[in-house]
Amino acid sequence: MTNGGLYGLRPYKGRAFQSGLKVQVYRNLHNGLLSVRQRGLVIGHINSITLLKVKFHIDLKKHANVIQTQSKNVHAVASGYVSAEGIPDSQASQVYYNPFTAPYFRQSDNTRIDTAVKLHVRSNGYMVAER
């Protein structure tokens, strides 16, 4: 499989996925896909991805700019290791992020979530996590 097992990745500027290194994932509002970053560079775009050992990150300075300008920019990412495993089990909870309601990722019961064992993300914004 090309791209080190990251099936469906559309490479960006000829960059390749390096297995074993962390990635950062965020929704790309320009192309409707997920952007995948590694070592600070976008390596490609994909429809869905599953990550392990996940941390959710918000750049609070950029978040404040979103609130002030009412214009979205890249300031919220999920980072972790790419997994070939599928969607988390039925014990998983849906995860949301809306910069206009809270400066953090939250679960369906509105509790904050900063980490997850496993996260599945789709380009339509659907996220589900196992804690």
Side-chain angles (χ1 to χ4, degrees):
M1 213 182 277
T2 60
N3 293 315
L6 194 52
Y7 180 75
L9 183 73
R10 299 174 189 158
Y12 182 70
K13 294 187 176 181
R15 299 176 186 145
F17 169 68
Q18 296 177 16
S19 184
L21 296 179
K22 270 189 180 179
V23 298
Q24 293 178 326
V25 177
Y26 61 91
R27 284 183 68 203
N28 186 311
L29 300 177
H30 299 288
N31 65 17
L33 297 170
L34 298 171
S35 290
V36 180
R37 252 187 341 214
Q38 213 169 32
R39 293 186 173 180
L41 297 174
V42 174
I43 60 166
H45 301 94
I46 199 163
N47 285 314
S48 66
I49 192 167
T50 301
L51 303 177
L52 299 175
K53 298 181 181 177
V54 180
K55 290 186 180 178
F56 298 98
H57 304 274
I58 305 290
D59 182 324
L60 294 177
K61 193 172 187 179
K62 289 182 180 179
H63 174 264
N65 187 51
V66 168
I67 301 303
Q68 181 180 8
T69 64
Q70 296 290 299
S71 178
K72 292 182 181 178
N73 61 35
V74 178
H75 68 279
V77 300
S79 66
Y81 297 93
V82 174
S83 172
E85 297 177 32
I87 297 173
D89 68 24
S90 61
Q91 303 266 336
S93 62
Q94 196 162 353
V95 175
Y96 303 91
Y97 178 68
N98 181 337
F100 302 109
T101 58
Y104 51 83
F105 287 83
R106 60 188 175 83
Q107 298 176 93
S108 53
D109 64 0
N110 284 328
T111 58
R112 182 179 177 143
I113 182 170
D114 295 313
T115 62
V117 172
K118 185 193 294 188
L119 175 73
H120 183 75
V121 187
R122 294 182 187 156
S123 58
N124 65 1
Y126 176 80
M127 295 182 281
V128 62
E130 268 180 40
R131 298 206 64 196

